Structures are given as C-alpha cells and as structure tokens.
Amino acid sequence: MAEVEAPKLPSGVRKKLMFVNRKAPHGTIYALEALEVVLISAAFEQEVCLAFLDDGVFQLVKGQNTQAIGTKNFAPTYRALGDYEITRLYVERESLAERGLATADLMPIVHEDPDDADEEKPSIQVVGRAEMATLMAEQDVLLSF
Amino acid sequence: MKFGIVVNEGPYTHQASDSALQFARAALAKGHEIVRVFFYNDGVNNGTRLTVPPQDDRNLQKSWSELAAKHGLDLVVCIAAAQRRGVLDAGEAKRHGKDADNIAPGFRISGLGQLVEAAILADRMVTFGD
C-alpha cells in the first residue's frame, strides 16, 4: 500500500466520492489498485462509497482462492472496509443476474453502526440499475476502474 | 473551471493518454485550470523518459513534459503503481538499490493521496482509461 500523506485541504470540505468497480478481480489489476485508492481515501474524511457493476460484481464473490494462479488474494480486504468507515457497497442487481449470481454468492461484509450501539449492519446493498444511476448522479466525484 | 485528470492506461497500446493530452490542451486553451494530472495503473508508464517511439509517430512522454513546462502542470505518477512497473526517480532508485532511474522531466512521483486530494480540489474529475 502507498504511504498516506497528510491531507492539506481547506477544512470542512466534504465531498461525495464513489469508486466504480467494473472489472473482475485477478485477471487485471484494476480491482486491486482501485481498492488501494479506496483505502487511502478513508484518510481524507470524505463521504466514500463503492459501486460494483458489470464484471465488477465478481470482486465480492465469496470463497475466492488465488493459490493456483500465484497472485495475491485481496478479497479479504473488502471485509475490512468497515474499519475504515466505508460502509456503503452498492451492487447492481442486473449485473449479478446477468452473470448467474445471487446475493447469497457474495461474501458477508458488515460494519459497526455508531448510531445503533455499534451493532453490526450489512455493508452490501443490492440496488437496481435505475437506482444505481440515481446514486451516481448524487455524487460529487466518480472514479471509475 | 478546475479540472483534475486521471490517466489509467499506458501510452500507445491505449488511446487514453492521447485523449487526456488533447483534453488538457483544449481545457487550457479555453482558460480552464488543471489542478493535477494523476497517472495510475499502467498510466504510470507515460512518465518514463526512456521511450523511443518511431520518428514519424507522436511522442507522448515528450508532449506531456512540454505541456507541463509550458503551463506549470503538476504531473504526478503514483508511487505504488510506479514501483510495481519500474518507473523510478533518482531518490526511489537509490532507496531500492536500483542502478538507474527513468522519470521524465515534469513528472514527479508521489502517493495515492494526491489523487484523492485532486478529486476534492477539482470541480470536475475526468478519467481516461478503459
């Protein structure tokens, strides 16, 4: 992971950042390097969320094992996002269905809700394509990988 | 308007770097400001000075370096992505015991925080990639 630099920004700037994940993991580096930016972004105290669509939904499939292909299995890192206060992972329903996937095929990812006695809440929200478009329109910044 | 630009693909194989360069020139010509150009993924390969494209082809690295010199652009190559792919400045080369560096003029190597910071400072972030 890259070194975290001290953010030098005007105080009080709080933007809505969405990281859009469109590629399957392991075949290319996009998913891993997107995740590296996501982790760094947590240091900037912005409103960060993630979107998974197209082949990007494969990034969250449970039971990934990269041993046979000799690459790093970074899938467990998604489960740590809650510790970085990144608690919203939007997964597009149509992208799942088009690939024969269901919500039950995704790894459980939870975060502690400080507004509810730190109770564990699911971070993954499956949303329809139209709702995904609305969510994207609400963002200040989209970074697409 | 303040633009931030992200280049996520290397030169020549993909059009991303060409398109980003043309966008940057057009934006500057219209009087807009470019807060930073951030090179990530294989985009870091735009920042090596050791490319030697054929003489009848465009030279992307040189074009970026010249645009940076002319307009004072901040061209930042992601350190983590650059180290994976062998793009080093003198300091990094020394730190990792490598016998050479290859960063092009006008480019600097820094962390991913520079990408997030650009996204916060810019009015619009424009990504060039696949």
Side-chain angles (χ1 to χ4, degrees), chain B residues 18-83:
Chain B
D18 292 277
S19 302
L21 186 66
Q22 285 151 13
F23 178 87
R25 283 180 182 141
L28 291 165
K30 290 274 184 191
H32 297 295
E33 184 188 336
I34 293 173
V35 296
R36 183 167 293 145
V37 184
F38 193 87
F39 297 86
Y40 195 41
N41 299 146
D42 276 357
V44 299
N45 290 317
N46 288 285
T48 169
R49 67 172 185 272
L50 300 184
T51 56
V52 189
Q55 285 190 355
D56 60 353
D57 199 354
R58 78 265 189 237
N59 186 324
L60 283 163
Q61 171 267 306
K62 199 159 161 269
S63 300
W64 278 115
S65 292
E66 285 171 359
L67 195 70
K70 190 176 171 189
H71 296 278
L73 289 187
D74 188 20
L75 308 182
V76 178
V77 174
C78 168
I79 187 165
Q83 286 180 351

Side-chain angles (χ1 to χ4, degrees), chain A residues 61-80:
Chain A
V61 167
K62 66 183 173 191
Q64 294 178 46
N65 182 344
T66 58
Q67 211 174 350
I69 56 170
T71 60
K72 187 158 114 184
N73 184 11
F74 53 90
T77 308
Y78 295 103
R79 304 181 68 169

Side-chain angles (χ1 to χ4, degrees), chain A residues 124-136:
Chain A
I124 292 179
Q125 300 178 44
V126 177
V127 300
R129 194 158 276 168
E131 193 184 343
M132 186 65 90
T134 306
L135 286 165
M136 286 180 169

Side-chain angles (χ1 to χ4, degrees), chain A residues 65-94:
Chain A
N65 182 344
T66 58
Q67 211 174 350
I69 56 170
T71 60
K72 187 158 114 184
N73 184 11
F74 53 90
T77 308
Y78 295 103
R79 304 181 68 169
L81 288 174
D83 298 336
Y84 289 80
E85 294 177 15
I86 295 168
T87 60
R88 291 175 298 138
L89 280 63
Y90 300 107
V91 180
E92 194 186 73
R93 181 177 293 115
E94 288 87 342

